[in-house]
Amino acid sequence: MTNMPITPPVDTIDYRRRQTMARIVQRVVILVSAIVLAIYVLAPVSWLVSSAFQTETEIVSIPPHWIPDEPTLGNFKAIFTAGDSAPVTYETRSGTDPAAGNFIPSTAKNLLPSMGNSLIVATLVVILNLLVGVPAAYAIAKIRFWGRNASVYFILLTRVIPDIALVVPFFLVIRKLGMLDTLWSLVITYLAVTVPFTVFILIQYFEGLPDELDKAARVDGCSRLQALIKVFLPLSLPSLVAVVLFTFLTSWNEFLLALMFTQTSASQTLPILLASFTSDFTVSFSFLNAAGVLAIVPPVIVAIVFERYIVSGLTAGAVKG
């Protein structure tokens, strides 16, 4: 008696077909959504980079040119030679043609110094943020003391308050300390904003590491500080990198507090100076966009260098282990 092949029921075949079609539709929807999201996110950045290499005439042309017809480095050259140009006044601006891209804002000579100020502030905030936040997070995560839970809730409470509500208290404190119009005024206020986030992220990460590691280090003769440096810091590198990136970007891009506490070019940071380019006699979009390209270079470099740790660090510190 020969074995006849068993034919699946028609309902089973239809179910499998519908399941395959559903998977295909799902993948198509995900792909289309990802493409739309990528275009939405990358389009402004692409236009910023493209227009930095265009003349003023090309930028204001209709339709816009996504690819420059005649790419030029003149906008970037103007940034590095702005200090050599004569100051712009009401009388001299009539001889300047903004459409030709020859108009240089009067504050352009302060662009590179302001980038240096931003870099100094961001670097100091990152270093001091780690020096304060890492020991605090380790102590809360691994040392049982009275008021520990209240400390965690207090840290979370500080992040609920919007930054704009803290401007007046910050201003009064900075004025009393005599630090107005200095870089230290920004460092102190940025630490108040970034340290709670650092402590919260690292608390979750340290609590996810076994307590036996801490006990073993103490048995081997390590102090609390030695256990933190030799045991926990090497294991928490991804979370530390995420904290460094967040702190650097927050300090580099912050505008409101820098606007309140700095008045002169000696202490103004890059966001404040870029905003000043739009308050002159006229606006050179080509020059402004070239300055914007320079402004995004340091954060992009930091993100590329630490890219492998960013996602793992944020997810590791977001939930309890």
Side-chain angles (χ1 to χ4, degrees):
M1 187 173 181
T2 57
N3 293 329
M4 298 296 293
I6 300 177
T7 304
V10 176
D11 293 345
T12 302
I13 297 175
D14 292 340
Y15 173 76
R16 291 176 179 175
R17 185 180 296 113
R18 288 195 300 270
Q19 202 173 31
T20 302
M21 290 299 298
R23 283 196 297 267
I24 294 175
V25 171
Q26 183 183 22
R27 292 175 181 175
V28 170
V29 170
I30 293 175
L31 177 61
V32 172
S33 302
I35 293 175
V36 172
L37 181 61
I39 293 174
Y40 177 78
V41 172
L42 295 178
V45 180
S46 301
W47 173 249
L48 175 69
V49 176
S50 174
S51 58
F53 295 94
Q54 298 182 24
T55 62
E56 203 72 21
T57 305
E58 273 195 278
I59 292 178
V60 298
S61 63
I62 300 176
H65 297 175
W66 285 90
I67 300 177
D69 292 338
E70 298 180 1
T72 176
L73 294 175
N75 302 319
F76 295 96
K77 181 181 178 182
I79 291 176
F80 294 98
T81 60
D84 302 331
S85 58
V88 179
T89 63
Y90 183 82
E91 290 76 16
T92 60
R93 74 185 179 98
S94 59
T96 305
D97 182 13
N102 294 326
F103 178 78
I104 306 298
S106 58
T107 54
K109 62 180 182 296
N110 300 324
L111 178 60
L112 296 181
S114 69
M115 288 189 67
N117 290 339
S118 292
L119 188 60
I120 292 173
V121 170
T123 303
L124 287 175
V125 171
V126 167
I127 294 173
L128 297 176
N129 183 72
L130 292 178
L131 290 177
V132 174
V134 172
Y138 170 75
I140 295 175
K142 294 304 179 183
I143 301 176
R144 298 298 180 260
F145 58 90
W146 185 84
R148 173 179 176 273
N149 292 333
S151 301
V152 177
Y153 291 132
F154 178 76
I155 291 172
L156 291 177
L157 181 63
T158 61
R159 297 309 305 137
V160 176
I161 304 174
D163 294 341
I164 193 171
L166 301 174
V167 169
V168 174
F170 278 155
F171 181 84
L172 295 177
V173 171
I174 295 300
R175 188 180 65 178
K176 286 291 184 181
L177 294 175
M179 290 185 176
L180 283 177
D181 200 25
T182 65
L183 296 182
W184 281 108
S185 65
L186 302 181
V187 172
I188 292 175
T189 52
Y190 292 171
L191 283 175
V193 174
T194 57
V195 166
F197 175 84
T198 298
V199 174
F200 176 69
I201 289 294
L202 293 181
I203 284 175
Q204 308 305 317
Y205 195 90
F206 286 151
E207 285 185 341
L209 299 176
D211 291 338
E212 287 74 15
L213 293 174
D214 187 57
K215 295 177 181 178
R218 300 301 303 279
V219 169
D220 290 339
C222 291
S223 63
R224 288 288 187 184
L225 181 59
Q226 289 173 329
L228 172 61
I229 296 175
K230 296 181 179 180
V231 178
F232 287 95
L233 285 186
L235 294 176
S236 59
L237 183 59
S239 189
L240 290 175
V241 169
V243 165
V244 167
L245 184 63
F246 166 81
T247 305
F248 184 88
L249 293 181
T250 299
S251 304
W252 183 268
N253 295 322
E254 203 283 324
F255 178 81
L256 178 61
L257 297 177
L259 179 65
M260 294 296 297
F261 300 146
T262 61
Q263 288 87 35
T264 64
S265 59
S267 60
Q268 285 180 335
T269 54
L270 190 58
I272 305 302
L273 194 75
L274 291 179
S276 71
F277 289 169
T278 62
S279 60
D280 218 307
F281 298 114
T282 186
V283 179
S284 173
F285 294 105
S286 57
F287 183 87
L288 184 60
N289 291 336
V293 170
L294 291 182
I296 67 175
V297 169
V300 169
I301 292 176
V302 172
I304 292 175
V305 171
F306 298 117
E307 180 268 338
R308 58 178 295 189
Y309 299 105
I310 293 174
V311 176
S312 60
L314 289 174
T315 55
V319 295
K320 244 183 178 179

